[in-house]
Amino acid sequence: MGVDVSLGRGLDVALVEDGRVLGTWARVGNEGLKELLTELRPDAVGIDAPPRPGLGLLRDEEERRRLAVPPAPGRHLDRRIAEYELSRRGIGSHQTPKDESRLFSWMTAGFEAFIAAAGAGYEVYLGEGSARGSAFEVFPYASYVAIAGCLSPGRRWRLAWRRAVLDQTGLLDLPDDARIDTVDAACAALTAERFLHGAGSWVGHPREGVIVLPVPELRDAYHRCAPPDAGGTRGVRRARAAADPRLCECGCGSPVRRRFLPGHDARLRARLLTEARAGDAARRELERLGWLHFLEEQGVQGGSSNERSEAAADPMASDGTRQRPITRQRPIDGDKGVQGGSGNERSEAAADPLARR
């Protein structure tokens, strides 16, 4: 079973078994959740919220040093370790501080949902022992990213992208008109099922709390997904493999996050402008990179090399009119810090604006 937490709208609940949605419930209260768990007796329940405040473990230098990738000094002090492990991979999340006066209201609503689950016999799972018959924290946005292999393409595609990721898993019978809260509840239930079947994992610290995930292991980093309307399997693409990094377009072979290393674009442009005066290959490369206007600004017209040389010799066209240089526009290179709200709103808010909670 999966639960999406919202302070204003109540809880959205989904029941998943063997990759099929058996039922969904909206605007459920804590007593309603307790009754559903008592009646349906799912193997476990994943709740989209922390079970309790953080312990401030990342304020302890010893705890920080124990991590595989320790945070930078003075950073992430109010995050739980689970949230830091997601954040460092690009999966943004709100922090769950130790100071209860600084908690978001949806977090306290989540605490109450865990209390309701415990009332039905589902105690909190913190990473040790069997998770069967327990309640544990899930984070649907992190689940989507882990399954898709890439980050959300943006708020414009929030619902479409989520459904595309669940379709990718083969999940059946999710209603076509399901609201985003119901979709997230189904994702939470699917995450719980995968974890119980040995196909999941968790991040965090048993003293403080863990976040359960639907994959055996997270990647070290995630790139942005293509939008669902950009082709492919409904727009879901896997992140670029580590063995196939993006390389500088100047041809130097250096890995880059953008198109060029600093200064390498100017160096390549100068070389291509020189070569373009002697042939078409460099001109085509200038056009691909969006730099053709530099060539035109230097007085070299379009067309083949012979046509360009003729135009330079005689600026009058064959019909007696003066040729004007072709001009092109230069291409431009290039989601809640609010109390309350549902889990899907949280998932596109923090560091990336696609972050949690």
Side-chain angles (χ1 to χ4, degrees), residues 5 11 30 33 47-54 80 83 95-119 124 135 137 208 356:
V5 175
L11 309 174
N30 291 315
L33 174 62
I47 301 176
D48 177 21
R52 62 192 187 191
R80 296 176 300 158
E83 293 157 347
Q95 55 198 14
T96 306
K98 182 179 180 179
D99 183 356
E100 297 190 25
S101 68
R102 298 175 54 210
L103 293 169
F104 287 93
S105 54
W106 63 262
M107 294 178 178
T108 58
F111 300 166
E112 294 171 0
F114 275 98
I115 293 172
V124 179
E137 179 181 359
E208 191 174 47
R356 187 187 193 158

Side-chain angles (χ1 to χ4, degrees), residues 254-302:
S254 300
V256 293
R257 296 183 64 182
R258 299 182 181 274
R259 298 176 69 187
F260 297 98
L261 286 176
H264 286 214
D265 53 343
R267 190 183 311 168
L268 174 62
R269 184 169 63 239
R271 176 172 62 81
L272 291 175
L273 287 170
T274 300
E275 293 177 0
R277 297 182 180 91
D280 288 331
R283 182 184 183 86
R284 287 194 296 270
E285 181 68 1
L286 282 167
E287 187 169 10
R288 182 188 73 81
L289 293 166
W291 294 341
L292 191 59
H293 66 285
F294 287 109
L295 189 63
E296 293 160 350
E297 287 170 3
Q298 294 186 15
V300 183
Q301 303 294 327

Side-chain angles (χ1 to χ4, degrees), residues 11 22 41 88 138 150 174 185 191 215 249 264 276 350:
L11 309 174
L22 300 184
R41 303 311 300 174
R88 74 176 180 86
V138 297
C150 48
L174 180 64
T191 298
V215 296
E249 292 189 35
H264 286 214

Side-chain angles (χ1 to χ4, degrees), residues 25 34 65 67 71-72 98 134 137 177 182 207 217 259 270 277 308 310 327 342:
W25 298 263
K34 182 178 177 180
R65 285 194 293 268
L67 299 177
K98 182 179 180 179
S134 67
E137 179 181 359
D177 60 351
T182 301
R207 285 176 53 200
E217 187 177 5
R259 298 176 69 187
R277 297 182 180 91
R308 292 197 301 272
E310 290 170 2
T327 60
S342 70

